[in-house]
Amino acid sequence: MKLGKINVSTTKAWIIIGIGVAGVIILAETRRRRRRKTEAREDFGAFIERFELLPAPQPPPPAARQLLSGLNFAISDIFDVKEYVTGFGNPDWKRTHEPAGRTAVAVSSLLKNGATCIGKTVMDELAFGITGENLHHGTPNNPEMPSHVPGGSSSGSAVAVAAGLVDFALGTDTTGCVRIPGSCCGIIGFRPSHGVVSTVGVLSNSQSLDTVGWFARDPSILHHVGRILLQVSPVELRRTRRFIFADDCFQLSKVPKQKSVYVVNRSTENLSGYQPPKHMNIGQYIASNVPSLKGFHEPSSNLHHGTSTLKALSTVMLLLQRYEFKTNHEEWIKTVKPKLGPDISGRVLAAINTSNENIKTFYKVRIELRAALHNLLKDDGILVLPTIPDSMLKLNSSKNLFTEFHNQAFALLSIASMSGCCQVTVPLGKHDGSPISISFIASHGADKFLLDTILDIYSSLQEQANITSNSLPMQDIDGNIDTSELLKEKGNAAFKGRQWNKAVSYYSEAIKLNGTNATFYCNRAAAYLELGCFQQAEADCSQAILLDKKNVKAYLRRGTARESLFRYKEAAEDFKHALVLEPHNKVANLAEKRLRKLAS
């Protein structure tokens, strides 16, 4: 009996001890989580790891101070730092790899020139995402729009700069991983020419596309960092500059041209050395000068020629990325079976299951595209286009919204990624509360020229963006109906004669006189479609439908415009509505079936 009492008492004691230990563990974990939340609020969730890498000693007087003296910076979790494990944004990668034996060349160069590194930042796992969301480390908070994604894959670096936590930061750009977060966070993001900045000590996603990029709020700091990483001299003879606007690319942006194209035009008017800007359809130019791309156009596509070409180019970019990622990491993926976020998991699975079919053609496309852009831009040309299609995605956006953003964004971003040309994204204020930006692309190797241009034009761009944001759009007026009908007929004649611009002018004059006629809007939409002005065509068709809900042509044309903007689900709905009005319409029937597949 005595022994039994001892056992009962001992059991109770162990229960009490167990409860106490559990309580301590729960309390410690609660405190850890609270501390993590506090830290995330303080650093916007940008950092994975904090440390301090001190710069090289300053040279004694009278030598000049080092160029980056007094500046601090952060690096994505993709750069090696001696004695630290590079995590690649994924705990399983970090768990299965050893500490780095040396620091990445790019990071060492910055330290040697006076900068201090204060830590590693969050990134999309394996550098394979574009939203900046990370299942394991959390999503950095976008300082400009907390309810929206920061953009990725170099999300933490962009957030650290945008929040003023560092003076500049390094990331990598493969398919847009610096340009997207730069645009989303309202800061400057620079993707250098492929191969000009050392990637030694940087984990690779796709070596034919990977570059070391950087972020800054201040164009002079962007320029200083560029001088170090590019290893260029500060002195260069001033060249004239030619801006070429990619009009078809602006059709993929919902930002009014008044806040983009107009701002750039106005910014150069009072600056010396800038030639009058030119306009072109870059998609059609690429189609004519990159013959190896022809086999990648989607079969039975209703996309207009220029847009179809950019879609094909983005397809090749993603196929090349998958092939090289598989070559680099297939063995590790199959051996470790890492835990990945759902979006990243899908991308990795697609890469592992890809074949090496057409691989030689992918590389031919790169060579031909770089040559084509060099012939277009030479050493003084700069291509102007939107960085991303429109306002960023909200956190946890639906799959449909993500797919639309993905398709449009990669159509724009593939031009620099596949050609290896340098590109910079520059903030231009806000539209509907979201940061907006503009991008500039220069020839491969013209990085210093592009950095000099941004340094020269940046303050003027910001001034004009502020002026434009406070101005009001012009209003249309109504007028005489008989005259408007005459103008419509002139527009029809111009359309038949394939004079699309003239047709638009006539229809526009007719609409000014009579803004309640659905046919005028619908006819102008047809002309806009021929010009590749898809957003204008969509807007005109929507107005026509508002005025006449049984206008079958308006639904057909709006469907065509939306398909050309990669908004497949909305396009399918338009063609479906046309079939309700005309059940035997063959165009609508074929298009609706095709788009239902694409949307799914």
Side-chain angles (χ1 to χ4, degrees):
M1 287 295 293
K2 193 174 182 180
L3 185 62
K5 285 182 181 178
I6 292 170
N7 285 342
V8 170
S9 149
T10 305
T11 303
K12 286 180 179 178
W14 279 114
I15 291 171
I16 291 168
I17 291 168
I19 292 170
V21 170
V24 170
I25 292 171
I26 291 169
L27 182 62
E29 177 63 15
T30 302
R31 285 177 176 172
R32 188 191 69 79
R33 290 186 179 181
R34 283 177 181 169
R35 187 169 62 251
R36 174 64 184 154
K37 285 182 179 178
T38 302
E39 289 171 355
R41 283 196 297 270
E42 290 174 354
D43 71 5
F44 292 79
F47 286 89
I48 283 180
E49 195 169 12
R50 289 275 201 164
F51 50 73
E52 190 174 62
L53 303 180
L54 295 174
Q58 288 287 334
R65 284 170 62 84
Q66 292 167 326
L67 190 61
L68 304 179
S69 177
L71 301 179
N72 60 13
F73 70 103
I75 56 177
S76 287
D77 190 25
I78 197 170
F79 291 89
D80 283 346
V81 172
K82 187 176 180 180
E83 299 179 358
Y84 288 84
V85 180
T86 308
F88 216 1
N90 178 270
D92 287 323
W93 181 279
K94 190 169 187 175
R95 175 178 58 80
T96 54
H97 287 80
E98 297 296 320
R102 59 174 292 188
T103 298
V105 170
V107 177
S108 295
S109 297
L110 299 170
L111 296 171
K112 287 175 184 175
N113 284 274
T116 300
C117 181
I118 66 168
K120 286 193 174 185
T121 54
V122 177
M123 57 177 282
D124 285 87
E125 297 174 76
L126 314 180
F128 230 143
I130 63 172
T131 64
E133 296 168 300
N134 188 300
L135 174 70
H136 312 283
H137 302 301
T139 302
N141 302 320
N142 187 334
E144 289 293 308
M145 289 283 284
S147 61
H148 289 63
V149 299
S153 63
S154 305
S155 51
S157 286
V159 166
V161 171
L165 305 175
V166 291
D167 297 300
F168 66 93
L170 294 187
T172 56
D173 190 307
T174 303
T175 59
C177 317
V178 163
R179 291 164 288 169
I180 293 173
S183 179
C184 289
C185 293
I187 56 175
I188 315 171
F190 192 87
R191 174 197 163 94
S193 297
H194 184 263
V196 303
V197 176
S198 174
T199 55
V200 174
V202 184
L203 295 178
S204 178
N205 176 284
S206 171
Q207 55 270 26
S208 294
L209 304 172
D210 292 338
T211 59
V212 171
W214 57 99
F215 303 98
R217 298 182 304 280
D218 186 327
S220 62
I221 292 178
L222 186 89
H223 196 273
H224 288 338
V225 174
R227 276 179 54 191
I228 301 304
L229 294 178
L230 298 167
Q231 300 178 25
V232 293
S233 72
V235 179
E236 185 173 303
L237 292 175
R238 184 176 177 86
R239 297 180 238 170
T240 57
R241 294 172 170 89
R242 294 181 296 118
F243 279 176
I244 304 169
F245 289 91
D247 288 342
D248 50 331
C249 291
F250 282 98
Q251 292 305 311
L252 298 176
S253 172
K254 293 177 182 176
V255 175
K257 288 186 180 179
Q258 183 186 14
K259 292 189 173 184
S260 55
V261 176
Y262 176 81
V263 167
V264 177
N265 277 332
R266 292 285 294 173
S267 297
T268 60
E269 286 179 358
N270 297 320
L271 298 175
S272 62
Y274 292 82
Q275 296 182 15
K278 294 185 178 179
H279 295 258
M280 70 176 300
N281 185 310
I282 190 65
Q284 290 181 359
Y285 176 82
I286 291 171
S288 302
N289 290 277
V290 185
S292 296
L293 198 57
K294 289 179 181 176
F296 296 95
H297 286 261
E298 291 181 355
S300 306
S301 173
N302 198 33
L303 299 175
H304 274 62
H305 192 45
T307 311
S308 175
T309 299
L310 295 179
K311 180 73 170 79
L313 185 64
S314 67
T315 297
V316 173
M317 176 183 74
L318 295 175
L319 289 172
L320 175 59
Q321 181 191 27
R322 288 175 187 172
Y323 170 78
E324 292 190 338
F325 181 88
K326 178 181 179 179
T327 303
N328 296 333
H329 304 301
E330 180 180 22
E331 183 180 348
W332 180 81
I333 294 289
K334 288 185 174 179
T335 303
V336 176
K337 297 179 175 59
K339 183 180 179 182
L340 302 167
D343 175 50
I344 305 301
S345 180
R347 290 168 184 259
V348 169
L349 184 63
I352 298 304
N353 292 333
T354 197
S355 69
N356 61 358
E357 186 182 356
N358 294 323
I359 185 61
K360 290 183 179 178
T361 311
F362 300 162
Y363 295 119
K364 280 185 71 177
V365 169
R366 287 179 73 239
I367 293 168
E368 291 169 2
L369 180 61
R370 184 176 298 184
L373 288 183
H374 179 75
N375 289 336
L376 173 68
L377 301 174
K378 298 184 171 57
D379 66 350
D380 65 343
I382 295 175
L383 189 68
V384 186
L385 69 165
T387 307
I388 55 176
D390 49 44
S391 58
M392 323 89 71
L393 294 169
K394 288 187 176 180
L395 292 165
N396 304 311
S397 288
S398 69
K399 186 177 179 181
N400 286 335
L401 282 175
F402 174 79
T403 301
E404 180 185 322
F405 179 85
H406 174 283
N407 290 338
Q408 293 182 339
F410 282 151
L412 296 169
L413 297 161
S414 61
I415 298 172
S417 287
M418 281 301 292
S419 66
C421 291
C422 50
Q423 179 174 346
V424 61
T425 177
V426 177
L428 288 184
K430 291 189 174 183
H431 175 64
D432 290 341
S434 298
I436 59 176
S437 64
I438 197 83
S439 262
F440 302 92
I441 295 177
S443 292
H444 182 272
D447 302 67
K448 176 66 165 50
F449 169 65
L450 187 56
L451 283 170
D452 288 346
T453 300
I454 299 309
L455 194 60
D456 187 57
I457 198 176
Y458 187 82
S459 60
S460 183
L461 283 172
Q462 302 312 307
E463 182 184 350
Q464 288 301 324
N466 288 333
I467 292 171
T468 303
S469 66
N470 295 321
S471 64
L472 296 172
M474 293 179 62
Q475 301 294 319
D476 286 339
I477 58 171
D478 295 329
N480 185 276
I481 292 176
D482 293 335
T483 307
S484 66
E485 285 292 336
L486 180 60
L487 287 166
K488 182 201 78 172
E489 293 304 322
K490 287 186 176 182
N492 291 348
F495 188 93
K496 289 177 183 176
R498 303 177 67 83
Q499 296 174 298
W500 319 123
N501 282 310
K502 188 177 280 189
V504 167
S505 296
Y506 281 129
Y507 294 137
S508 296
E509 290 300 317
I511 289 168
K512 284 182 183 179
L513 295 174
N514 180 11
T516 60
N517 190 310
T519 301
F520 296 170
Y521 288 101
C522 193
N523 287 8
R524 188 169 68 174
Y528 275 139
L529 284 175
E530 295 296 338
L531 289 167
C533 299
F534 307 119
Q535 283 193 30
Q536 288 91 329
E538 180 191 18
D540 273 357
C541 290
S542 295
Q543 184 61 31
I545 291 165
L546 193 65
L547 294 167
D548 177 9
K549 289 182 169 52
K550 294 184 178 181
N551 193 320
V552 176
K553 287 183 179 179
Y555 283 108
L556 293 173
R557 288 167 186 169
R558 189 169 72 174
T560 300
R562 286 175 168 175
E563 183 179 359
S564 297
L565 293 167
F566 308 114
R567 287 156 53 194
Y568 301 133
K569 188 175 181 180
E570 292 173 85
E573 288 298 317
D574 279 332
F575 288 118
K576 187 177 179 181
H577 208 109
L579 281 172
V580 172
L581 296 171
E582 283 187 10
H584 302 295
N585 190 300
K586 291 182 180 179
V587 173
N589 189 35
L590 290 171
E592 196 270 335
K593 287 179 181 177
R594 179 180 69 251
L595 284 163
R596 205 183 320 133
K597 287 183 180 180
L598 288 171
S600 63

